[in-house]
Amino acid sequence: MSGSAGVASAQRALPVLEIFGPTLQGEGLAIGRKTMFVRTAGCDYRCTWCDSKFTWDGSERPVWLTPAQVWAELVEKGGGGFDYVTLSGGNPALLGDPVGQLIRLLHEHGVRVAVETQGSRWQPWLAELDDVTISPKPPSSGMETDWDALADIMRRLEGSKAHVVLKVVVFDHRDYEYAKAVHARWPNVPLVLSVGNPYLQPDEGEDELALRLLDRLRWLADRVTTDDALRDVRVLPQLHVLLWGNRRGV
Ligand code: SF4
């Protein structure tokens, strides 16, 4: 990231940890979609298997950027080769109006905008997005889902122009049952299931990692295809991990 951070407009600025791309969206219904990423700092969760701990463990300091500065950096890095930006974290929904301003600025430039959030906090700008992935965290994360907060968010998103999907990462049997409970509550919202990646060591060989994850994906595929309780469901890999292993910024 460039060192262009200024604090003159701090009230309208966002804490940004990474801006990168163009790359491919690795997860969810937009899997494979060419996109830029803006990763914000801060998360209200502490998932045991979090692959982005640097967003909340204090190991990295964010740069405060106004929406205009974020746009300038996206153009600097992405040139003219993108029309889709994914806001990621951390949990971008911890941040208020500056994110809404960024979304509007991106729309003015003809860029579609997506976000992934765990569904713990509502922000009005969620309804302005093109694609919203709500990814409640299963038991293996060590987090407790606030079902009331999640239900409130899902209700507010109903009727918005945002394309909404639910996504659950499945590590084990309990997570799978949790995913079924999510689907039972919102059977009309598409559900994406993917397998968790417990092999987060940076030196994990990429080919070996891909094989191990494909094994887990087969296990999940076998369960889903023989389970009458799951209907509008997609089983997807984490494409970026298959392509690039545990590398950051891809
Ligand atoms: S919600 Fe996401 S960013 Fe936050 S701790 Fe969990 S996995 Fe990490």
Side-chain angles (χ1 to χ4, degrees):
M1 187 179 305
S2 74
S4 59
V7 289
S9 305
Q11 289 181 327
R12 295 176 53 249
L14 306 84
V16 177
L17 276 171
E18 296 184 301
I19 294 176
F20 62 92
T23 183
L24 303 181
Q25 171 57 260
E27 308 185 50
L29 282 190
I31 190 167
R33 176 67 155 92
K34 189 178 177 186
T35 184
M36 298 293 291
F37 273 87
V38 176
R39 188 186 298 283
T40 59
C43 191
D44 47 328
Y45 276 20
R46 299 288 183 265
C47 299
T48 52
W49 35 252
C50 179
D51 60 2
S52 310
K53 285 185 176 156
F54 60 92
T55 62
W56 49 262
D57 68 1
S59 60
E60 296 190 21
R61 290 170 65 88
V63 177
W64 289 82
L65 300 178
T66 63
Q69 288 171 321
V70 172
W71 171 247
E73 193 147 332
L74 284 165
V75 170
E76 186 186 320
K77 292 192 168 157
F82 70 95
D83 65 357
Y84 197 88
V85 169
T86 303
L87 306 177
S88 185
N91 182 6
L94 294 182
L95 305 169
D97 197 45
V99 178
Q101 291 168 13
L102 175 61
I103 293 164
R104 277 163 237 138
L105 182 61
L106 292 170
H107 281 162
E108 282 169 23
H109 288 283
V111 174
R112 294 171 62 84
V113 193
V115 77
E116 176 164 332
T117 174
Q118 63 263 46
S120 57
R121 304 283 177 94
W122 169 253
Q123 292 288 348
W125 51 256
L126 283 166
E128 297 181 44
L129 286 158
D130 300 284
D131 295 322
V132 176
T133 299
I134 303 288
S135 182
K137 302 306 176 196
S140 65
S141 69
M143 298 292 108
E144 292 248 335
T145 300
D146 181 340
W147 292 101
D148 290 340
L150 181 57
D152 181 57
I153 289 168
M154 296 303 289
R155 183 183 54 74
R156 289 173 189 251
L157 284 171
E158 263 175 39
S160 76
K161 76 178 187 71
H163 182 209
V164 180
V165 301
L166 285 157
K167 189 186 89 176
V168 177
V169 177
V170 175
F171 279 78
D172 55 26
H173 174 73
R174 282 176 71 212
D175 291 356
Y176 182 78
E177 293 303 318
Y178 174 93
K180 285 173 71 169
V182 168
H183 189 52
R185 280 178 186 244
W186 294 283
N188 299 318
V189 179
L191 175 67
V192 172
L193 299 182
S194 61
V195 286
N197 174 12
Y199 317 114
L200 291 176
Q201 301 80 352
D203 57 352
E204 188 75 41
E206 288 174 15
D207 291 347
E208 176 69 16
L209 174 63
L211 288 175
R212 289 192 196 190
L213 291 174
L214 283 172
D215 255 353
R216 297 172 75 90
L217 194 64
R218 252 177 243 117
W219 167 81
L220 182 58
D222 286 346
R223 293 205 63 162
V224 169
T225 51
T226 55
D227 191 332
D228 288 349
L230 293 173
R231 291 178 164 225
D232 190 353
V233 176
R234 288 156 180 79
V235 176
L236 294 174
Q238 289 182 301
L239 181 64
H240 57 297
V241 182
L242 292 183
L243 289 173
W244 297 300
N246 291 323
R247 269 185 273 168
R248 255 180 81 178
V250 289

